[in-house]
Amino acid sequence: MTEAPYALYYWPSIPGRGEWVRLTFHLGGIAYADVARDEGAQAIMPFLKGERPGARPFAPPFVVRGEEVLWQTANICDVLARRHGLVSGTDAPRADQLLMTVMDLAAEAHDTHHPIATGLYFEDQQEAAEEAATAFRQERIPKFLDFFESHLEAGGGTLLGHELSHADVGLWHAHQGLLHAFPIAMASMVDRWPRIRALDEAVRAHEALAAYLASDERMPFNSDGIFRHYPALDAEVTSTGTS
Ligand SMILES: N[C@@H](CCC(=O)N[C@@H](CS)C(=O)NCC(=O)O)C(=O)O
């Protein structure tokens, strides 16, 4: 990577939605600066207040290049992937809709620990969270992952049927998040999604991604952000609703 024409802005203390953008940058060998990790979260605020040139983004992550401001995670990844040759032709919209579905899964995973309001503490909504997490573990994880497994099967191991795209890497990251947040539930369904598990090998075998994953830049999941492990929200899945 040489100069950094793209500037990523995302909360520096969590991998969060910024991670899907980082993975797309690394998959595409696209240079970027991770501004808020270098300069602090205050670097984000002028954009959110509309004090910087370009369209005002609603929320991080956003990516700035000159006066272009891209936001909405899936949109950012899709624009980068098209522009830098990760997808083309009819593959591009196919990847878009798959990645948007990954982001739906991520939003639902977040809502298990904050089912009432993001602004409330987990402890203040724990009862509702336990109910939401039970349904998520039993109904939604299987429905989403069965769906992606079927696309991987149709594609012979990748979602689009050729080399890794940002949609594959996005799915991989969401799966990693589920393994972190719901280790007991995921272990109880370990044999159900062999192709999603195989994606892990493909991602780790990708030279640029492997280098990124081994670096300090790759932030581990933690107790904030989308994928959090609360023991009270995790349990073995013994019966699942199927799609
Ligand atoms: N749909 C948006 C969601 C963006 C979002 O919720 N960003 C979070 C951090 S992951 C945030 O800072 N939200 C502030 C807010 O919604 O007020 C996306 O995919 O980028």
Side-chain angles (χ1 to χ4, degrees):
M1 292 186 195
T2 51
E3 59 173 328
Y6 290 107
L8 166 66
Y9 290 80
Y10 191 70
W11 306 120
S13 58
I14 53 170
R17 287 181 173 85
E19 195 57 21
W20 280 275
V21 181
R22 291 189 188 101
L23 286 164
T24 303
F25 278 131
H26 286 278
L27 179 68
I30 307 163
Y32 71 102
D34 209 331
V35 180
R37 278 179 82 179
D38 296 338
E39 297 176 11
Q42 74 279 357
I44 293 171
M45 302 321 289
F47 289 91
L48 297 184
K49 292 182 189 160
E51 294 169 358
R52 287 294 174 90
R56 176 186 176 192
F58 179 74
F62 51 89
V63 164
V64 178
R65 189 172 72 163
E67 293 208 357
E68 176 185 69
V69 185
L70 301 170
W71 71 95
Q72 287 290 352
T73 310
N75 175 61
I76 300 168
C77 297
D78 295 335
V79 170
L80 293 173
R82 278 176 165 80
R83 197 177 276 172
H84 294 276
L86 290 173
V87 288
S88 60
T90 54
D91 278 351
R94 286 175 62 212
D96 296 354
Q97 57 218 12
L98 286 160
L99 187 60
M100 285 184 214
T101 310
V102 169
M103 298 318 297
D104 288 345
L105 165 60
E108 289 195 27
H110 172 272
D111 290 350
T112 60
H113 51 77
H114 280 75
I116 296 177
T118 307
L120 289 177
Y121 289 110
F122 168 70
E123 290 70 21
D124 295 332
Q125 50 193 319
Q126 183 166 344
E127 207 176 308
E130 287 178 18
E131 211 173 311
T134 300
F136 183 69
R137 290 190 312 265
Q138 294 183 350
E139 310 287 334
R140 302 301 282 171
I141 294 179
K143 181 166 183 175
F144 274 109
L145 296 192
D146 284 355
F147 169 81
F148 288 119
E149 182 79 7
S150 76
H151 274 274
L152 290 172
E153 184 176 9
T158 62
L159 290 171
L160 301 178
H162 55 66
E163 65 271 18
L164 288 179
S165 72
H166 59 304
D168 294 294
V169 177
L171 169 61
W172 171 80
H173 181 64
H175 185 241
Q176 294 298 302
L178 293 175
L179 293 172
H180 168 77
F182 303 101
I184 298 172
M186 294 299 285
S188 67
M189 298 184 278
V190 69
D191 294 326
R192 187 161 169 157
W193 304 293
R195 291 170 187 85
I196 295 177
R197 288 214 321 273
L199 205 50
D200 190 51
E201 286 162 40
V203 166
R204 292 180 195 280
H206 185 283
E207 204 180 323
L209 291 175
Y212 168 60
L213 295 177
S215 74
D216 292 343
E217 257 189 89
R218 167 77 174 178
M219 209 186 300
F221 295 109
N222 57 32
S223 52
D224 293 313
I226 297 172
F227 296 107
R228 307 183 193 182
H229 176 59
Y230 289 107
L233 302 189
D234 191 19
E236 206 169 311
V237 175
T238 48
S239 71
T240 61
T242 43
S243 39

